[in-house]
Amino acid sequence: QVRLEEFGGGSVQAGGSLRLSCVVSGYNYKDYYSIAWFRVAPGKGHEGVAAALGLGTTTYADSVKGRFTISRDKNTLYLEMNSLKSEDTARYYCATDERSWVRNPLANNEYNYWGRGTQVTVSS
């Protein structure tokens, strides 16, 4: 079974940085699979944060553009978060799909496999 597990969440002061990681296991992960990070704030639904398609393109939500960076190293996904704001407080999830291209990279229903999430809390 495919498994994704996030690491690196925690509490940080506004203006600080965190790096989240996500380890993928359970199948032969290919470098052309698409990857993404989502977050769920209290009382809200999924918000697409960042995506990197196997085709080679990257997409960021306007709210994090210039502050967050998505990347991949073999079977581990990363989300580097800088200049954190209180609005970034949420539970963060990694996701992946075997397709190299998806129509809407920041839509949660495009991705077949999900982690269980890790909490990020930003104080100010």
Side-chain angles (χ1 to χ4, degrees):
Q1 181 179 356
V2 177
R3 180 184 178 186
L4 284 69
E5 187 173 11
E6 299 94 339
F7 301 93
S11 298
V12 64
Q13 294 181 350
S17 299
L18 284 174
R19 188 176 77 162
L20 306 182
S21 60
C22 172
V23 179
V24 181
S25 62
Y27 71 157
N28 188 12
Y29 201 64
K30 304 297 185 181
D31 60 5
Y32 56 79
Y33 290 1
S34 296
I35 60 173
W37 287 89
F38 295 83
R39 64 188 182 185
V40 179
K44 296 186 177 180
H46 288 78
E47 177 189 13
V49 174
L53 305 188
L55 188 64
T57 61
T58 58
T59 306
Y60 294 93
D62 289 341
S63 59
V64 308
K65 192 172 297 182
R67 301 188 297 118
F68 290 11
T69 303
I70 186 171
S71 62
R72 174 186 174 183
D73 181 13
K74 297 184 179 178
N75 70 326
T76 304
L77 320 179
Y78 299 97
L79 184 68
E80 178 72 28
M81 305 184 293
N82 299 310
S83 301
L84 284 162
K85 306 174 180 179
S86 60
E87 304 96 285
D88 297 317
T89 295
R91 190 166 183 85
Y92 284 73
Y93 299 84
C94 60
T96 190
D97 196 89
E98 63 269 18
R99 294 173 294 163
S100 63
W101 179 90
V102 301
R103 182 171 60 87
N104 190 346
L106 298 182
N108 59 354
N109 62 3
E110 296 277 17
Y111 300 90
N112 194 33
Y113 303 105
W114 290 77
R116 296 183 183 274
T118 186
Q119 180 67 36
V120 173
T121 301
V122 184
S123 61
S124 65

